[in-house]
């Protein structure tokens, strides 16, 4: 697949530090998140639709997408360590998060090796060479919740966006400093993913990113 890399000058400095600050997402943190996920309501919807919008630098072209997508079960693939979380339209975030697919180890809450909602969220929101950024978790009164990072310096891959005049079915990559949010309802279903550059005096759109995708679920 063809893609285009963008360096959004003015959004730096680049934080090329030694290691990821993962202590905030330790076993106690995963246990706390899992406790909330244990209270999720039953999922009855069978499909969902997407509504992406926004721009990466000067580019706002979005690949054609389906009217409807099948709901992932959230369950394990047989006896493997992989889970059917689904992949969001822009960042490959899990579409469906639940207590089991977030952190299967309910004794020690050890960090999963691969294939879980936790792994997909951490991969999208964090960066191993930004030692300051950490994934955060917030709940709301109605039982909905979000995973987010207020600012992280990294290359982001923006799936289904493409450069003007270029081929569809492609993606863009842009390096900058971003805040990223993944919002879920009280069933653990992704309702919105957003990414935008952190506050900066830069006003030129070619130096900014502001994208989102909203999800609607159907019975």
């Amino acid at each position: 697949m063809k893609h285009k890399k963008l360096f959004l000058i003015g959004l730096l400095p680049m934080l090329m530090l030694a290691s990821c600050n993962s202590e905030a997402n330790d076993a106690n943190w995963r246990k706390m998140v899992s406790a909330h996920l244990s209270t999720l309501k039953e999922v009855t919807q069978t499909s969902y639709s997407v509504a992406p919008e926004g721009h990466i630098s000067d580019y706002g072209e979005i690949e054609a997408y389906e009217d409807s997508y099948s709901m992932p079960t959230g369950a394990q693939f047989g006896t493997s360590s992989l889970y059917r979380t689904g992949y969001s339209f822009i960042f490959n975030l899990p579409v469906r998060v639940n207590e089991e697919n977030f952190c299967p180890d309910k004794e020690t809450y050890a960090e999963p090796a691969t294939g879980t909602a936790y792994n997909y969220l951490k991969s999208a929101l964090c960066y191993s060479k930004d030692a300051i950024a950490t994934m955060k978790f917030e709940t709301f009164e109605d039982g909905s919740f979000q995973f987010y990072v207020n600012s992280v310096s990294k290359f982001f891959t923006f799936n289904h966006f493409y450069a003007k005049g270029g081929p569809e079915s492609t993606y863009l990559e842009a390096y900058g400093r971003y805040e990223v949010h993944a919002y879920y309802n009280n069933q653990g279903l992704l309702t919105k993913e957003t990414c935008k550059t952190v506050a900066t005096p830069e006003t030129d759109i070619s130096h900014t990113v502001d994208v989102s995708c909203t999800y609607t679920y159907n019975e």
Side-chain angles (χ1 to χ4, degrees):
M1 294 176 68
K2 295 181 179 180
H3 68 282
K4 186 178 185 68
K5 282 191 175 183
L6 306 171
F7 286 89
L8 304 183
I9 305 302
L11 303 181
L12 310 183
M14 298 171 68
L15 295 183
M16 295 300 186
L17 303 178
S19 62
C20 181
N21 182 357
S22 60
E23 293 183 1
N25 303 138
D26 60 10
N28 288 331
W29 185 87
R30 287 187 290 274
K31 183 176 181 179
M32 177 269 295
V33 174
S34 295
H36 181 77
L37 298 180
S38 70
T39 69
L40 295 179
K41 295 184 178 181
E42 180 184 1
V43 173
T44 58
Q45 299 91 328
T46 59
S47 65
Y48 65 91
S49 57
V50 299
E53 60 181 352
H55 70 91
I56 298 98
S57 184
D58 295 319
Y59 305 109
E61 290 74 27
I62 301 172
E63 177 190 359
Y65 47 89
E66 302 295 330
D67 292 334
S68 180
Y69 296 88
S70 297
M71 178 75 72
T73 64
Q76 191 172 6
F77 278 96
T79 58
S80 73
S81 59
L82 304 178
Y83 288 80
R84 301 176 189 270
T85 66
Y87 299 100
S88 69
F89 189 78
I90 303 177
F91 296 124
N92 287 337
L93 292 164
V95 171
R96 185 170 181 175
V97 175
N98 58 36
E99 183 184 14
E100 178 61 25
N101 69 32
F102 181 75
C103 183
D105 182 350
K106 297 301 181 293
E107 293 187 5
T108 68
Y109 292 90
E111 181 164 1
T114 186
T116 67
Y118 171 84
N119 297 123
Y120 300 139
L121 285 158
K122 186 173 180 180
S123 175
L125 272 61
C126 295
Y127 182 46
S128 61
K129 293 185 178 179
D130 184 338
I132 297 175
T134 58
M135 178 167 59
K136 295 179 172 58
F137 178 73
E138 180 182 13
T139 61
F140 304 101
E141 289 186 3
D142 64 354
S144 61
F145 55 95
Q146 69 161 323
F147 296 94
Y148 67 99
V149 58
N150 278 330
S151 56
V152 58
S153 294
K154 65 179 290 185
F155 259 116
F156 258 110
T157 298
F158 299 90
N159 294 303
H160 304 290
F161 282 80
Y162 63 95
K164 187 180 298 183
E168 294 190 33
S169 186
T170 187
Y171 61 93
L172 296 176
E173 285 186 309
Y175 189 92
R177 190 150 180 83
Y178 307 100
E179 63 173 271
V180 191
H181 297 259
Y183 297 95
Y184 291 83
N185 65 15
N186 57 16
Q187 298 171 292
L189 303 179
L190 182 66
T191 57
K192 191 171 187 177
E193 57 182 331
T194 70
C195 177
K196 63 181 181 179
T197 50
V198 298
T200 171
E202 181 61 65
T203 57
D204 186 343
I205 192 173
S206 66
H207 293 164
T208 64
V209 166
D210 190 350
V211 301
S212 68
C213 187
T214 302
Y215 295 75
T216 301
Y217 294 89
N218 311 295
E219 297 289 344

